[in-house]
Amino acid sequence: MSDITLDVVDVPEEWKVVSSATHFSGRVITVVTDAVLMPDEEVVNRDYAIHPGSVAVLALDDQDRVLMLRQYRHAARHLLWELPAGLRDVEDEPLQATAARELAEEAGYRARTWHTLVDAFTSPGMTGERTRIFLARDLSVIPEEELDFVRRHEESDMPVVWIPLSDAVRRALAGMIHNSQAVAGILAAYAASADAFASLRPADAPEA
């Protein structure tokens, strides 16, 4: 066992790509194979999906309840309970603005108080997708006349519930909630509530 102490902080790193091939390019993802030079000088292929990134919102009301919605996810073949979330698909839009838009469109709420809750790579072995999960508080319902979008496809029937944060934690740990953004957001919010969220980063904190 090594006695060298390493700083446990993720850092950017990029190994040499000898060649790259694109196999598929769709509306959201592009699938590629890179031939990557390893530290031992061997070149190996790595398949992955290029993804624009995402945001999610853990909306917490004044009763410490989490807003969750249910959506069909075809790749997983499940109806999953999730947080309001969406793609980073508007060029140069601040992440908080993207999150606020998703909270409005998917749940019909706005929030006055925003913090960065947690940043994560959703599945770094197969995609570079980054997600930022926000904590949104001081919520209010958006009047119907201010909503100017139409829900379609999987979003056309998304039940919305409010669940106590402590119950959401129990359900996540019991394997009843599986969406990675939801699990990460719920557990992070519960941990951050220990100091009344004082240690959280501001909503516009830079991504490392």
Side-chain angles (χ1 to χ4, degrees), residues 37-79:
L37 182 65
M38 297 287 115
D40 61 3
E41 301 300 315
E42 183 179 0
V43 176
V44 298
N45 289 336
R46 292 291 179 259
D47 306 322
Y48 64 98
I50 298 172
H51 189 284
S54 57
V55 297
V57 184
L58 189 135
L60 194 67
D61 71 4
D62 57 7
Q63 300 178 57
D64 286 334
R65 297 181 305 172
V66 178
L67 185 152
M68 300 196 72
L69 48 86
R70 193 181 68 187
Q71 185 167 351
Y72 174 65
R73 295 298 186 179
H74 186 69
R77 304 300 201 274
H78 268 71
L79 285 168

Side-chain angles (χ1 to χ4, degrees), residues 126-146:
M126 61 165 288
T127 178
E129 178 189 355
R130 301 183 69 145
T131 189
R132 167 160 287 188
I133 305 172
F134 290 90
L135 174 67
R137 293 179 293 156
D138 298 320
L139 305 167
S140 59
V141 176
I142 300 174
E144 192 71 28
E145 61 271 17
E146 294 183 23

